[in-house]
Each structure stands twice: as structure tokens, then as C-alpha cells.
């Protein structure tokens, strides 16, 4: 005589927010930038991953031949690097309307423009820098109805 025992699900699984932020952090580890590694993950309203990106040189531009420094010359990484958020948007092959972007660093003003234009409606970020760029991002997000929140464990 055997008794069937009903098992309950495991209770210590991680939340969707934690899962996606960990993926963003893992993606950031692909960046070759010696100073700042950023990762981004875009998910739809069913918690399906739509795209992933990290900050790096554009396709066809060798990260061995372009400078990673911050010189005030043409050898300044800021003139070349594609940010993680933009890479994630460009890597997507579907509509991004009403999706959520998880990013390890609050988007700069240039990324904010692309995020708004792509249809992403929410940004969850791990950390942020205080600068005019980020103040501008917040201003644009507010105007465009893109919500943002700091990631909380």
C-alpha cells in the first residue's frame, strides 16, 4: 500500500527581479572596458527575455585596436563604445513596446532617448551616477511616461 505525498514547491527560489538583474550583471562581465562594465536585459510582460547587451565596441571595430582610455583626443572610448542598453535594443528582433529594461547602471541621456523611442516602458537599475546626463534622463523618462526604479534585493 503506497501513499502519494503531495510535495510543495521550493520556497527559496529567486524573484524575477533578482534573476534578471543577475543576468544583467553576468552580461556586464563580457565588457572589455577596464573602468566600467555595464549589462542590460530586456524582458516582456510574460517575463520572457527579449534581448541582452553589454557595453563594447561596435561590430567590426576591434576592441584590441580601439582605445579604452578617456583622453581628450580621438582616442577616447566615449567616442566609440556602444552602451549596454543600446546594444540590447539593437540585438532585439521583436517589438520592444511595453517591455522592461534591467540595467546595472542608470541610463545616460543618449541611452534614454533610444529607450524611449524603442517603446520600453520601465527601467530597473542597480546603481546610478549623479550628473547632468542622468538628470536629463530622468526628465525625459518622466515626460515620456517611462517609469524607473532602483533595484532592491
Amino acid at each position: 500500500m503506497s501513499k502519494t505525498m503531495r510535495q510543495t514547491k521550493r520556497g527559496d527560489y529567486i524573484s524575477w527581479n533578482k534573476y534578471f538583474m543577475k543576468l544583467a550583471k553576468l552580461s556586464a562581465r563580457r565588457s572589455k572596458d577596464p573602468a566600467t562594465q555595464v549589462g542590460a536585459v530586456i524582458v516582456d510582460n510574460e517575463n520572457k527575455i527579449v534581448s541582452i547587451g553589454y557595453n563594447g565596441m561596435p561590430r567590426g571595430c576591434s576592441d584590441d585596436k580601439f582605445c579604452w582610455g578617456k583622453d581628450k583626443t580621438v582616442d577616447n572610448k566615449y567616442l566609440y563604445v556602444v552602451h549596454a542598453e543600446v546594444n540590447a535594443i539593437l540585438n532585439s528582433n521583436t517589438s520592444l513596446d511595453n517591455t522592461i529594461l534591467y540595467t546595472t547602471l542608470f541610463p545616460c541621456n543618449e541611452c534614454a532617448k533610444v529607450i524611449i523611442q524603442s517603446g520600453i516602458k520601465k527601467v530597473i537599475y542597480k546603481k546610478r551616477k549623479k550628473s547632468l546626463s542622468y538628470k536629463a534622463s530622468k526628465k525625459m523618462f518622466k515626460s515620456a511616461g517611462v517609469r524607473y526604479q532602483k533595484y532592491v534585493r
Side-chain angles (χ1 to χ4, degrees):
M1 189 167 149
S2 69
K3 287 186 177 181
T4 305
M5 292 185 63
R6 180 181 167 108
Q7 286 190 327
T8 58
K9 68 180 179 182
R10 207 179 80 187
D12 60 344
Y13 58 91
I14 64 175
S15 69
W16 286 115
N17 275 353
K18 189 171 189 174
Y19 177 68
F20 295 131
M21 191 56 74
K22 283 188 174 284
L23 286 175
K25 288 170 67 176
L26 180 64
S27 179
R29 295 186 63 187
R30 283 285 310 145
S31 174
K32 282 115 181 148
D33 189 326
T36 308
Q37 301 83 44
V38 181
V41 175
I42 302 172
V43 300
D44 67 14
N45 60 2
E46 295 179 348
N47 292 317
K48 292 180 183 171
I49 297 169
V50 175
S51 189
I52 296 178
Y54 58 89
N55 59 315
M57 294 296 170
R59 183 179 299 156
C61 296
S62 171
D63 41 35
D64 292 325
K65 294 182 180 175
F66 282 80
C67 183
W68 289 98
K70 300 177 187 179
D71 301 345
K72 293 187 187 256
T73 68
V74 73
D75 287 329
N76 182 319
K77 71 176 182 176
Y78 295 119
L79 299 173
Y80 307 103
V81 170
V82 180
H83 288 187
E85 302 90 334
V86 173
N87 262 330
I89 290 166
L90 293 172
N91 288 338
S92 173
N93 62 2
T94 188
S95 170
L96 299 179
D97 286 342
N98 298 310
T99 55
I100 300 171
L101 172 76
Y102 288 82
T103 181
T104 57
L105 186 63
F106 191 85
C108 71
N109 63 304
E110 294 299 323
C111 289
K113 296 175 203 176
V114 178
I115 289 165
I116 292 165
Q117 287 295 95
S118 73
I120 292 170
K121 289 299 178 193
K122 186 173 184 181
V123 174
I124 299 175
Y125 64 95
K126 177 95 171 130
K127 58 185 174 177
R128 69 181 174 99
K129 296 179 182 177
K130 292 184 181 182
S131 69
L132 287 177
S133 171
Y134 297 94
K135 288 180 182 179
S137 296
K138 288 180 179 183
K139 186 174 181 176
M140 285 188 283
F141 284 159
K142 184 176 180 183
S143 178
V146 175
R147 297 182 325 244
Y148 58 89
Q149 73 181 54
K150 184 164 176 46
Y151 168 74
V152 180
R153 288 180 161 206

